[in-house]
Amino acid sequence: GGASGTDGAYGIGGTGGSGIVIIRYLTSKEINQETTPLKQIMIVHHQLPLATHGGNSLAGVNIRDLNTVQFSNLVGASLASKQVTLPAGTYHMRGWAGLYRANNHKAYIYDVTNTKLAIAGSSEHSWETDATTSSSMINGVITTTGTTVFELRHAITSAVSTTALGTNRNFEAAGAEVYAELEITRIA
């Protein structure tokens, strides 16, 4: 036989003690119950109003101005003063930071709490003499044993005024200017 109606589906319910698999009909309420936790994610941006350039670069280390939480359901995480604070756990971090006309550059995640490099980004180049933009990409996994503060840092060869950390595109329909992004997913 089978179940009548359309309110559910068949599911495997375990064994009956004798090694026989028991299949039973699940109601739609049982199907819709969350059986695994939702991914905890935080997405933060260096975001400025439409038609605003990204800012000056220094020759050396620049701390990217992460200033907007685009989305977060990551319990215990916060963004304040360009810094992301995370509770103990294991996290997959990926992101990017753009650069305009400032030569060699490399973004990275810096562990402020423990004063060390957390995740290195890709080595990139944006010609100072051309109107080119490139982005350094970051992708890695870190584990923290306690509350830890992180920054998105950007090592840059040349100091460039006004536009180095991003040149605006002023596309009204596309919204604010975004010059860097960091996405953090808790994996344990």
Side-chain angles (χ1 to χ4, degrees), residues 59-176:
V61 175
N62 294 257
I63 299 171
R64 294 307 294 252
D65 187 11
L66 297 176
N67 59 7
T68 303
V69 176
Q70 194 273 331
F71 174 83
S72 184
N73 67 353
L74 205 159
V75 177
S78 63
L79 172 67
S81 302
K82 305 179 187 180
Q83 297 180 327
V84 173
T85 301
L86 299 175
T90 300
Y91 301 92
H92 176 215
M93 291 186 177
R94 65 181 175 179
W96 58 270
L99 190 71
Y100 179 69
R101 297 178 82 166
N103 290 324
N104 299 322
H105 65 105
K106 184 173 187 167
Y108 58 97
I109 304 298
Y110 186 76
D111 177 340
V112 176
T113 302
N114 298 297
T115 62
K116 65 179 185 175
L117 173 70
I119 301 171
S122 62
S123 299
E124 303 297 338
H125 188 83
S126 172
W127 295 103
E128 188 173 2
T129 56
D130 267 341
T132 61
T133 298
S134 66
S135 294
S136 176
M137 310 301 282
I138 299 160
N139 191 8
V141 174
I142 54 105
T143 298
T144 64
T145 56
T147 300
T148 307
V149 176
F150 296 95
E151 291 175 339
L152 175 56
R153 292 190 176 183
H154 207 162
I156 300 171
T157 303
S158 302
V160 176
S161 65
T162 311
T163 59
L165 300 182
T167 181
N168 80 68
R169 292 294 165 235
N170 198 17
F171 293 124
E172 188 172 336

Side-chain angles (χ1 to χ4, degrees), residues 10-84:
Y10 287 96
I12 297 175
T15 65
S18 63
I20 300 171
V21 175
I22 299 170
I23 299 176
R24 69 179 187 86
Y25 192 72
L26 302 175
T27 67
S28 59
K29 181 178 179 184
E30 290 173 305
I31 292 169
N32 291 327
Q33 285 179 341
E34 193 61 47
T35 57
T36 57
L38 292 173
K39 283 187 178 181
Q40 291 186 41
I41 300 170
M42 179 182 211
I43 301 170
V44 293
H45 288 166
H46 171 201
Q47 180 175 306
L48 294 172
L50 183 68
T52 306
H53 291 302
N56 305 335
S57 69
L58 305 172
V61 175
N62 294 257
I63 299 171
R64 294 307 294 252
D65 187 11
L66 297 176
N67 59 7
T68 303
V69 176
Q70 194 273 331
F71 174 83
S72 184
N73 67 353
L74 205 159
V75 177
S78 63
L79 172 67
S81 302
K82 305 179 187 180
Q83 297 180 327
V84 173

